[in-house]
Amino acid sequence: MRAVDLIRRKRDGGELTAAEIRFLIGGIATGEVPDYQWSALTMAILWRGMTPVETAALVDAMLHSGTVVDLSDIPGPKVDKHSTGGVGDKTSLILAPVAAACGVTVPMVSGRGLGHTGGTLDKLESIPGFCVDLDLDAYRRIARDCGLVLIGQTAEIAPADRVLYALRDATATVESIPLITASILSKKLAEGIDGLVLDVKTGDGAFMATHEDARTLAESMTRIGRELGKPVQALITSMDAPLGRAVGNALEVQEAVECLQGRGPDDLMEVSLELAAEMLLLGGVAASRDEALAACRQSIADGSALDRFRRVIAAQGGDPRVCDDSEGVLPRAAVVEPFRAARSGYLARIRAWSVGQASMLLGAGRARVDSTIDHAAGILFRRTVGDAVQAGDVIAEIHVNPAHAAALPETLAMLDAATTVTDAPPRPRSRILERL
Ligand code: URA
């Protein structure tokens, strides 16, 4: 078998067999299929696509390029959630403790933020002491003891994806549905889960800007996951505006804690609880959506979800007092600058993409994989879409440290362009657009 013949076949629109795909993926570790051949192949796949059978074979080969964790000794269902990413998306920090409190173990391997989108690991690392770089033994132990664990991708989990993702990033081949499907599912199925809930975001601040593209990706991932024997459920949710009020790592942790204390904003609570309810249904611990939602709400009302969060923070070396005194424990920015409404009316739009870009200027996001971030920096909205505002009212607070304070005028201008105030209130819309 020669890689060049397989690249040519894919380039000309042909199909690859499972054995050929295994050879190509296996060749990453052995060096038999070097980067330049994989670069050509990813471009051929981007143009020609893959059949569902080829995509399933690719997921399977990438999954088995590393360790597939066995969590079968932990009693009960193990279910995770994956989001395609957005601005202000801190649902993992809320739904993981909620699902754990309701009897579903959540072994979560997450990523870092890149570009205008945030990452769960960066948010968690704003909690003093919190360690996301744990080995698989600690991962298993904490999942068993706490019912949830939140770590970064280890060298053992889907190593072929690490190589391919970096190549795709550098060769403009990220936007391929079969390659995204294989990248996400190979990592998630390696975690040792029984089921997966997907939050496929669409809108201005999402990776998939249109609902159609989001549906195509969601259908690909649910279909291939099911073909590989794992129940996968997907929600398509709106990412036109930032989710919740906070954008920026420590600010988002504080908001997640407020949600677990029962004081979260409606849009964030809606998405978090709907996703958590899907996890309970996949895990078989609730018989209906209503029952699942009621159990999730109860875990917040009785404090059991917050208690799970406290336990996992302590188990991963973090300061659990963040659950009781977030402001006292989390890093705070030195400067808080108001962004005010220029006119009176109703806040009709807050464009997620622009807010994500503005928060990057403050140091809250990462322009490159190796950029350092300022955990305290970010934007905290005091008004949200649908609210009435008077000229001069504070719409948002900009949290910034001196190192990035020079970006304040540009950040204010970006927020001005990102927000629209109208005479009439906008029509209220659910964030949940579709359930697949
Ligand atoms: N996230 C991933 O993990 N992989 C992709 O290909 C795209 C988004």
Side-chain angles (χ1 to χ4, degrees), residues 162-317:
R162 283 188 166 220
V163 176
L164 286 188
Y165 195 82
L167 271 185
R168 288 165 57 212
D169 207 24
T171 57
T173 51
V174 171
E175 300 91 339
S176 151
I177 299 274
L179 293 178
I180 298 174
T181 301
S183 169
I184 292 174
L185 285 186
S186 62
K187 283 180 293 221
K188 287 286 154 180
L189 300 188
E191 292 173 339
I193 50 174
D194 304 312
L196 178 65
V197 173
L198 294 169
D199 178 10
V200 182
K201 303 224 174 265
T202 181
D204 166 80
F207 198 41
M208 296 282 135
T210 70
H211 192 140
E212 279 1 274
D213 285 349
R215 185 184 295 125
T216 307
L217 178 59
E219 282 172 354
S220 169
M221 290 198 286
T222 48
R223 173 178 182 166
I224 305 293
R226 288 167 191 164
E227 274 179 25
L228 291 171
K230 293 289 173 200
V232 179
Q233 189 65 44
L235 297 186
I236 297 179
T237 68
S238 149
M239 186 35 76
D240 280 324
L243 189 55
R245 306 273 181 132
V247 178
N249 298 287
L251 294 171
E252 292 190 43
V253 169
Q254 183 171 342
E255 187 172 46
V257 167
E258 285 164 11
C259 289
L260 292 170
Q261 291 169 338
R263 301 188 286 123
D266 293 347
D267 63 338
L268 178 56
M269 289 310 297
E270 180 194 27
V271 177
S272 303
L273 292 179
E274 289 284 348
L275 289 167
E278 295 294 344
M279 294 169 80
L280 266 55
L281 287 169
L282 269 192
V285 302
S288 68
R289 252 186 76 237
D290 285 349
E291 190 185 316
L293 279 170
C296 292
R297 289 201 183 96
Q298 179 60 24
S299 76
I300 290 180
D302 65 17
S304 56
L306 186 62
D307 192 51
R308 291 287 174 154
F309 198 40
R310 203 179 270 117
R311 275 163 61 184
V312 79
I313 290 170
Q316 295 193 220

Side-chain angles (χ1 to χ4, degrees), residues 22-56:
R22 273 198 302 278
F23 161 76
L24 290 164
I25 290 291
I28 295 175
T30 60
E32 210 175 334
V33 185
D35 282 7
Y36 51 83
Q37 288 193 304
W38 257 108
S39 303
L41 190 58
T42 53
M43 188 58 85
I45 293 171
L46 180 106
W47 279 106
R48 294 296 192 170
M50 282 184 133
T51 65
V53 173
E54 284 178 297
T55 310

Side-chain angles (χ1 to χ4, degrees), residues 322-375:
V322 75
C323 293
D324 309 292
D325 176 21
S326 301
E327 286 202 50
V329 170
L330 291 168
R332 315 290 303 168
V335 178
V336 178
E337 178 81 10
F339 164 64
R340 295 179 187 280
R343 55 164 287 197
S344 302
Y346 292 90
L347 194 50
R349 277 209 71 180
I350 305 175
R351 289 171 190 78
W353 187 84
S354 314
V355 173
Q357 296 291 335
S359 73
M360 276 177 68
L361 291 181
L362 303 171
R366 208 179 254 110
R368 293 199 342 228
V369 190
D370 55 355
S371 320
T372 51
I373 56 171
D374 180 343
H375 288 106

Side-chain angles (χ1 to χ4, degrees), residues 67 69 109 134-141 151 154 156-157:
T67 305
V69 182
V109 179
L134 298 180
D135 62 24
L136 290 180
D137 285 339
Y139 169 78
R140 283 191 199 86
R141 179 173 42 77
I151 68 164
T154 71
E156 300 101 313
I157 291 193

